[in-house]
Amino acid sequence: MIHLDHLEKSYPRSGGREYVLRNISLEIRAGEFVSIMGPSGAGKSTLLHILGMHDAEWQGTYHFLDHDIRTMPTAARLSLQRTHIGFVFQQYHLLDDLTVAENLDLPLSYRDMKKGERQARVADTLDRFGIVGKKDLFPSQLSGGQQQLVGVARALIADPSVILADEPTGNLHTDQGREIMELFTRLHAQGVTIVQVTHSETNAAYGTRVVRLRDGRVDTA
Ligand code: ADP
Ligand code: MG
């Protein structure tokens, strides 16, 4: 499903380049639940953003469902991303001038879906995440934990085949965090591919494999 070969990411630095990801070769099969772990600054978020096709400035090869992401036209790549990927951002990235309900509707608006069906889907999701009472509020009116829940709900609402989640429970209470992991476990059982970045061994234990990053390299030790 996801295949990286000698992927590298670097930034220009005086007198050369600073490598953030180095020689990453990684295969993630459909239906896997992978946890990416490693110290702060190891390149975990950078890698996840490349997998999510938010970042096109890298070297090497990336195949997603047999599509060569490097050579794919931008519009086709965007369509692939919107059809298949649900992304939970570490910093939430909700749209500030849209309400919670409008934020949730956004991924559905890219689908060929009738208005009524979209509204029903948003209502179901608000209910499932226990945030019905927040639907008309703006992100700035929510706590960090509530924004994170909305971010997870938004990533899942359009039934993606792949979920990429950057520390999805980092700002949640223990109970809420466990609910998200249980939700991921159910989706995984239904065949959804999940890649999460986490610092928590407890969260990693919900997955089927751990990939450790250190200084931009996959740590095979
Ligand atoms: P992690 O998520 O594992 O904590 P990141 O992927 O966020 O790590 O960052 C990896 C490294 O990339 C860090 O050393 C960070 O300083 C560096 N980095 C991130 N963005 C930039 C940038 N725009 N310019 C230069 N270095 C950057
Ligand atoms: Mg990070």
Side-chain angles (χ1 to χ4, degrees):
M1 160 138 257
I2 286 173
H3 194 125
L4 303 178
D5 206 17
H6 294 96
L7 187 110
E8 307 218 295
K9 165 88 186 173
S10 61
Y11 293 100
R13 189 181 52 185
S14 58
R17 300 192 71 80
E18 174 172 339
Y19 280 83
V20 173
L21 294 176
R22 200 88 211 228
N23 196 19
I24 305 275
S25 295
L26 184 66
E27 164 117 42
I28 298 174
R29 291 180 301 280
E32 277 200 276
F33 183 169
V34 175
S35 301
I36 299 178
M37 303 189 80
S40 179
K44 305 179 298 295
S45 295
T46 304
L47 178 61
L48 207 68
H49 279 280
I50 292 172
L51 295 181
M53 306 175 200
H54 298 124
D55 180 354
E57 300 289 310
W58 42 267
Q59 291 78 49
T61 50
Y62 173 15
H63 285 88
F64 183 95
L65 286 173
D66 292 332
H67 297 277
D68 184 341
I69 299 307
R70 165 172 306 291
T71 56
M72 217 178 172
T74 306
R77 195 171 64 224
L78 193 60
S79 161
L80 189 72
Q81 178 198 50
R82 285 175 173 172
T83 307
H84 289 283
I85 297 177
F87 202 97
V88 182
F89 293 87
Q90 191 170 5
Q91 304 298 337
Y92 325 131
H93 285 289
L94 302 175
L95 295 183
D96 289 335
D97 53 354
L98 297 185
T99 64
V100 167
E102 289 165 346
N103 268 284
L104 291 181
D105 181 56
L106 204 59
L108 301 179
S109 68
Y110 302 131
R111 299 295 175 88
D112 184 22
M113 201 182 269
K114 293 204 177 69
K115 182 94 181 159
E117 194 185 341
R118 277 163 52 183
Q119 285 170 341
R121 184 82 76 102
V122 169
D124 276 354
T125 302
L126 288 164
D127 190 34
R128 183 175 175 193
F129 282 83
I131 48 177
V132 175
K134 310 290 179 199
K135 70 183 172 63
D136 296 321
L137 298 183
F138 292 93
S140 61
Q141 298 172 299
L142 303 177
S143 72
Q146 290 164 345
Q147 290 183 60
Q148 189 159 38
L149 271 186
V150 176
V152 174
R154 177 185 58 180
L156 302 185
I157 195 165
D159 290 335
S161 49
V162 180
I163 296 165
L164 304 175
D166 199 348
E167 302 193 29
T169 68
N171 285 293
L172 299 179
H173 299 300
T174 312
D175 288 352
Q176 287 175 319
R178 194 173 54 237
E179 280 173 32
I180 297 298
M181 286 303 111
E182 285 168 0
L183 178 58
F184 281 10
T185 301
R186 287 198 295 280
L187 293 167
H188 173 234
Q190 292 164 18
V192 176
T193 306
I194 300 174
V195 183
Q196 68 169 351
V197 168
T198 184
H199 287 290
S200 155
E201 297 288 348
T202 308
N203 284 0
Y206 285 91
T208 51
R209 177 158 66 115
V210 173
V211 172
R212 289 185 197 277
L213 279 189
R214 177 176 298 276
D215 299 333
R217 295 173 187 270
V218 174
D219 194 348
T220 49

